[in-house]
DNA sequence: CAGTGGTCTAGACCACCAG
DNA sequence: TGGTGGTCTAGACCACTGC
C-alpha cells in the first residue's frame, strides 16, 4: 500500500521487468498490447502505458504503433552522467574551491575549432584559459573559446570573479551540444599548469555547445591526474 | 496541428522552456502551480503535469509537493551515454569484428576486486581476459572477473565463440551497477596487447554489475589509443 | 485498412511537507 | 493542516504503419 497501490504504474513496471528478467518474455518477443495488459492487471490502460513507456525509456522495450511492443533484442546500456558545475563538484567533496584566470583574449581560432563551431575565418572569439583548484591543488584546466557576439550580457561578466563555465551554465541554461570523453598524454603547458609529469595520462572532456544553430562555446576540460568520472546505471 | 495539437504536452513544454530561456522565469523562482497553468493554457492539468515532469527530468525544474515548482538554480548537465555491445559498436562503423580469448581461469581475486564485489577471501571467480579487434586491429582489452556461481546457464557458454561481455548483456539484461571513466598510462602486458608504446594515454571504463545484491561481474575495458566516447546532450 | 501505441480530458483521491 | 504535485480512471480521438 502506502506509496504504491496494487495498481500503481511502478508496481506494474516492477512486475513486467521481472517477466523480462526471468525470461518469461524473451528478447525480441512481442508482448501483449496495452489493452490486454490493462485487463490482466485490472487497471486503466493509461497506467499500463506509463509503465511500458518507462521501461522503453530505460531501453528494455521497443515500442511501435501497430507493430506492438517487443523486449529489446540487444539492450543498450544507458549511463546517465550528471555533470555538475565544477565549483559544486568540489564543494560537495568538502574541499575548498578556487579559480585562477590564466588567459582571456580575443583571437581568430584555429581551424579545428572553427570547423567544430562552424565559424568563418574572419570572426574573432574570446579565448579563455583558467584553472580550477580544489584545496589549492589543480583540479581541472579549462581551455575554452567563447562566441561573445552571440551572448547578451557577457559584458557584465568579470572573468576574475566567476568562471566562464559557471556563468554560461547559469545564464545560457538551455542548450544542446555534444560531449566527448578521451585520454591524452600531458605535455608542455598543460603538464605545467596541472603540475604533473610529462606523459601522464589525463582524462579529457570536450564540449561544443549550441544555442539553436549558433555555436556558443567550445571547451576542453583537462582533469588532473587520477580523476574518475562516475555514474550509476 | 498535425503532430501536436495546440494543447499537446510538447507544445507546453516548448512554451515553458522558452519562458525559462528568455529569463521570464528566473533561476530559483517559483512558477505557477499546475492548476493555474492548466487554466492559462486552456488544457487539462494532466497535460501540464506531463510537460512539467518532462522538464524536471531534464533538470530544468525542481518539483516538490506543497512547495511547488521552481526553475533549477544550478542546472546539472545530464549526458546520456549509450553503451552498446562492442561487436555492435564496431559493426556499425562498417569494420570487421573479431575477438580473441587470452585467459580464462578460476582464481581467488585480488583484494580490490573482492572489495568492489563484496566477495569473501575464499571464493574463486573466473578471470577472463580477451581482446576485441576492429579490422584486425586491437580495439579494446577486456579484463574481467565473473562470479560464475551466481549465473545459471554459464556452463553453456564457450568463451572462444562469444565474449563474456556480450553473453552477459544479453542473458542478464536487467542489472544495476556503477561505471567509472578514467585515463591510465599503458604499461607492460596492456601496452603489449593493445600494441601501443609504453606510457600511451588510454581511456578506461570500469564496471561492476549487480543482480539485486549479488555481484555478477567486475570488468575493466581498456580502449586502444585515440578512442573517444561520444554523447549528445 | 485496421490494430497499436500516443495523447488529451475531466474528475477524483491521496501523499507529502512547508508553514 | 491545507496547498501542491503524483497518480489513477474511464473514455475518447488520433497518428502511425504493418499487412
Amino acid at each position: 500500500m502506502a506509496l504504491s497501490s496494487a495498481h500503481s504504474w511502478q508496481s506494474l513496471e516492477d512486475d513486467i521487468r521481472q517477466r523480462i528478467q526471468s525470461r518469461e518474455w524473451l528478447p525480441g518477443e512481442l508482448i501483449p498490447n496495452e489493452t490486454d495488459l490493462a485487463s490482466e492487471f485490472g487497471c486503466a490502460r493509461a497506467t499500463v502505458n506509463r509503465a511500458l513507456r518507462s521501461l522503453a525509456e530505460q531501453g528494455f522495450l521497443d515500442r511501435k504503433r501497430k507493430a506492438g511492443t517487443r523486449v529489446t533484442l540487444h539492450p543498450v546500456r544507458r549511463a546517465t552522467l550528471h555533470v555538475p558545475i565544477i565549483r559544486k563538484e568540489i564543494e560537495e567533496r568538502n574541499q575548498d574551491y578556487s579559480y585562477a584566470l590564466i588567459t582571456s583574449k580575443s583571437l581568430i581560432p584555429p581551424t579545428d575549432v572553427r570547423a567544430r563551431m562552424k565559424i568563418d575565418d574572419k570572426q574573432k572569439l574570446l579565448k579563455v584559459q583558467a584553472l580550477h583548484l580544489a584545496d589549492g591543488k589543480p583540479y581541472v584546466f579549462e581551455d575554452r573559446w567563447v562566441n561573445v557576439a552571440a551572448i547578451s550580457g557577457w559584458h557584465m561578466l568579470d572573468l576574475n570573479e566567476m568562471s566562464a563555465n559557471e556563468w554560461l551554465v547559469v545564464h545560457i541554461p538551455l542548450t544542446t551540444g555534444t560531449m566527448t570523453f578521451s585520454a591524452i598524454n600531458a605535455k608542455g603547458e598543460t603538464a605545467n599548469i596541472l603540475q604533473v609529469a610529462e606523459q601522464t595520462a589525463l582524462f579529457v572532456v570536450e564540449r561544443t555547445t549550441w544555442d539553436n544553430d549558433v555555436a556558443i562555446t567550445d571547451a576542453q576540460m583537462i582533469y588532473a591526474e587520477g580523476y574518475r568520472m562516475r555514474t550509476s546505471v
Side-chain angles (χ1 to χ4, degrees), chain A:
Chain A
M1 330 293 118
L3 280 166
S4 50
S5 83
H7 294 164
S8 78
W9 68 269
Q10 292 194 2
S11 70
L12 286 198
E13 184 183 357
D14 289 344
D15 191 309
I16 292 166
R17 180 187 286 114
Q18 184 54 37
R19 295 189 191 188
I20 299 172
Q21 184 162 25
S22 70
R23 306 182 72 69
E24 178 182 336
W25 289 340
L26 294 171
E29 196 171 305
L30 201 59
I31 77 170
N33 68 32
E34 295 189 346
T35 311
D36 290 349
L37 286 173
S39 59
E40 177 191 333
F41 286 110
C43 67
R45 182 166 77 92
T47 306
V48 175
N49 180 281
R50 185 86 155 85
L52 296 184
R53 184 155 38 83
S54 172
L55 288 163
E57 278 167 9
Q58 294 167 56
F60 298 130
L61 295 175
D62 285 331
R63 318 197 71 199
K64 252 184 267 180
R65 282 168 160 131
K66 165 73 180 180
T69 300
R70 290 175 183 280
V71 178
T72 303
L73 199 53
H74 294 292
V76 172
R77 278 300 212 290
R78 288 175 199 185
T80 304
L81 291 173
H82 296 251
V83 186
I85 293 171
I86 293 166
R87 179 173 59 78
K88 288 270 170 195
E89 183 175 355
I90 291 172
E91 286 172 357
E92 273 164 24
R93 301 156 149 228
N94 292 314
Q95 293 186 299
D96 184 48
Y97 173 76
S98 57
Y99 159 82
L101 181 63
I102 298 170
T103 310
S104 168
K105 53 188 170 188
S106 197
L107 292 175
I108 291 178
T111 320
D112 60 330
V113 174
R114 286 208 306 272
R116 280 202 294 277
M117 298 181 74
K118 293 181 186 165
I119 297 280
D120 68 41
D121 60 1
K122 311 283 183 186
Q123 191 176 346
K124 287 188 177 179
L125 300 182
L126 185 67
K127 179 183 176 70
V128 179
Q129 290 184 314
L131 183 64
H132 302 260
L133 303 101
D135 283 345
K137 290 189 295 188
Y139 186 79
V140 58
F141 173 48
E142 172 178 351
D143 191 355
R144 181 185 294 273
W145 292 90
V146 182
N147 184 358
V148 176
I151 305 172
S152 64
W154 180 266
H155 61 283
M156 304 290 291
L157 172 60
D158 177 357
L159 280 172
N160 288 295
E161 292 294 321
M162 183 184 226
S163 77
N165 175 35
E166 181 159 356
W167 191 91
L168 287 166
V169 170
V170 174
H171 288 78
I172 319 280
L174 295 164
T175 52
T176 57
T178 54
M179 298 179 74
T180 74
F181 307 91
S182 57
I184 61 167
N185 288 105
K187 55 186 174 183
E189 186 193 37
T190 304
N192 227 343
I193 290 172
L194 288 172
Q195 294 171 27
V196 297
E198 292 264 335
Q199 293 303 105
T200 304
L202 301 176
F203 183 78
V204 183
V205 180
E206 289 167 307
R207 276 195 255 181
T208 305
T209 301
W210 300 80
D211 186 1
N212 298 310
D213 291 335
V214 181
I216 295 293
T217 182
D218 183 80
Q220 189 176 41
M221 311 293 286
I222 306 178
Y223 284 82
E225 185 173 4
Y227 178 81
R228 297 162 145 271
M229 181 165 265
R230 294 162 204 283
T231 181
S232 55
V233 180

